[in-house]
PDB file of all heavy atoms in Angstrom:
ATOM      1  N   PRO H  87      58.849   3.665  47.597  1.00 89.00           N
ATOM      2  CA  PRO H  87      58.993   3.717  46.135  1.00 89.00           C
ATOM      3  C   PRO H  87      58.160   2.665  45.402  1.00 89.00           C
ATOM      4  O   PRO H  87      57.681   2.909  44.305  1.00 89.00           O
ATOM      5  CB  PRO H  87      60.494   3.464  45.916  1.00 89.00           C
ATOM      6  CG  PRO H  87      61.131   3.788  47.207  1.00 89.00           C
ATOM      7  CD  PRO H  87      60.136   3.477  48.268  1.00 89.00           C
ATOM      8  N   GLN H  88      58.005   1.490  45.986  1.00 91.00           N
ATOM      9  CA  GLN H  88      57.290   0.412  45.288  1.00 91.00           C
ATOM     10  C   GLN H  88      55.903   0.151  45.877  1.00 91.00           C
ATOM     11  O   GLN H  88      55.234  -0.787  45.484  1.00 91.00           O
ATOM     12  CB  GLN H  88      58.094  -0.896  45.358  1.00 91.00           C
ATOM     13  CG  GLN H  88      59.309  -0.936  44.479  1.00 91.00           C
ATOM     14  CD  GLN H  88      60.468  -0.210  45.120  1.00 91.00           C
ATOM     15  OE1 GLN H  88      60.546  -0.130  46.339  1.00 91.00           O
ATOM     16  NE2 GLN H  88      61.354   0.345  44.310  1.00 91.00           N
ATOM     17  N   ARG H  89      55.507   0.991  46.849  1.00 94.00           N
ATOM     18  CA  ARG H  89      54.316   0.657  47.631  1.00 94.00           C
ATOM     19  C   ARG H  89      53.067   0.444  46.784  1.00 94.00           C
ATOM     20  O   ARG H  89      52.419  -0.594  46.867  1.00 94.00           O
ATOM     21  CB  ARG H  89      54.065   1.746  48.665  1.00 94.00           C
ATOM     22  CG  ARG H  89      52.922   1.422  49.611  1.00 94.00           C
ATOM     23  CD  ARG H  89      52.817   2.444  50.698  1.00 94.00           C
ATOM     24  NE  ARG H  89      54.007   2.421  51.553  1.00 94.00           N
ATOM     25  CZ  ARG H  89      54.422   3.471  52.254  1.00 94.00           C
ATOM     26  NH1 ARG H  89      53.781   4.613  52.165  1.00 94.00           N
ATOM     27  NH2 ARG H  89      55.489   3.379  53.013  1.00 94.00           N
ATOM     28  N   ARG H  90      52.732   1.429  45.947  1.00 94.00           N
ATOM     29  CA  ARG H  90      51.457   1.371  45.213  1.00 94.00           C
ATOM     30  C   ARG H  90      51.357   0.125  44.347  1.00 94.00           C
ATOM     31  O   ARG H  90      50.392  -0.622  44.418  1.00 94.00           O
ATOM     32  CB  ARG H  90      51.334   2.601  44.327  1.00 94.00           C
ATOM     33  CG  ARG H  90      50.534   3.676  44.979  1.00 94.00           C
ATOM     34  CD  ARG H  90      50.186   4.739  44.008  1.00 94.00           C
ATOM     35  NE  ARG H  90      50.049   5.992  44.722  1.00 94.00           N
ATOM     36  CZ  ARG H  90      49.901   7.151  44.146  1.00 94.00           C
ATOM     37  NH1 ARG H  90      49.910   7.235  42.836  1.00 94.00           N
ATOM     38  NH2 ARG H  90      49.760   8.238  44.858  1.00 94.00           N
ATOM     39  N   LEU H  91      52.399  -0.071  43.551  1.00 95.00           N
ATOM     40  CA  LEU H  91      52.371  -1.185  42.601  1.00 95.00           C
ATOM     41  C   LEU H  91      52.382  -2.531  43.342  1.00 95.00           C
ATOM     42  O   LEU H  91      51.682  -3.476  42.969  1.00 95.00           O
ATOM     43  CB  LEU H  91      53.583  -1.067  41.668  1.00 95.00           C
ATOM     44  CG  LEU H  91      53.419  -1.604  40.252  1.00 95.00           C
ATOM     45  CD1 LEU H  91      52.092  -1.183  39.640  1.00 95.00           C
ATOM     46  CD2 LEU H  91      54.571  -1.120  39.380  1.00 95.00           C
ATOM     47  N   THR H  92      53.192  -2.593  44.411  1.00 96.00           N
ATOM     48  CA  THR H  92      53.283  -3.846  45.177  1.00 96.00           C
ATOM     49  C   THR H  92      51.938  -4.204  45.791  1.00 96.00           C
ATOM     50  O   THR H  92      51.469  -5.341  45.663  1.00 96.00           O
ATOM     51  CB  THR H  92      54.346  -3.728  46.288  1.00 96.00           C
ATOM     52  OG1 THR H  92      55.564  -3.326  45.707  1.00 96.00           O
ATOM     53  CG2 THR H  92      54.534  -5.039  47.016  1.00 96.00           C
ATOM     54  N   VAL H  93      51.317  -3.210  46.440  1.00 96.00           N
ATOM     55  CA  VAL H  93      50.033  -3.498  47.092  1.00 96.00           C
ATOM     56  C   VAL H  93      48.972  -3.824  46.040  1.00 96.00           C
ATOM     57  O   VAL H  93      48.141  -4.715  46.246  1.00 96.00           O
ATOM     58  CB  VAL H  93      49.610  -2.317  47.995  1.00 96.00           C
ATOM     59  CG1 VAL H  93      48.212  -2.531  48.549  1.00 96.00           C
ATOM     60  CG2 VAL H  93      50.598  -2.165  49.141  1.00 96.00           C
ATOM     61  N   ALA H  94      49.030  -3.141  44.891  1.00 96.00           N
ATOM     62  CA  ALA H  94      48.067  -3.436  43.819  1.00 96.00           C
ATOM     63  C   ALA H  94      48.220  -4.887  43.371  1.00 96.00           C
ATOM     64  O   ALA H  94      47.230  -5.618  43.243  1.00 96.00           O
ATOM     65  CB  ALA H  94      48.289  -2.493  42.647  1.00 96.00           C
ATOM     66  N   LEU H  95      49.471  -5.317  43.184  1.00 96.00           N
ATOM     67  CA  LEU H  95      49.685  -6.691  42.704  1.00 96.00           C
ATOM     68  C   LEU H  95      49.388  -7.720  43.790  1.00 96.00           C
ATOM     69  O   LEU H  95      48.860  -8.800  43.503  1.00 96.00           O
ATOM     70  CB  LEU H  95      51.112  -6.840  42.176  1.00 96.00           C
ATOM     71  CG  LEU H  95      51.297  -6.127  40.823  1.00 96.00           C
ATOM     72  CD1 LEU H  95      52.756  -5.972  40.475  1.00 96.00           C
ATOM     73  CD2 LEU H  95      50.584  -6.866  39.711  1.00 96.00           C
TER      74      LEU H  95
END
Side-chain angles (χ1 to χ4, degrees):
Chain H
Q88 287 81 28
R89 185 174 295 155
R90 264 192 209 172
L91 210 44
T92 306
V93 173
L95 287 166

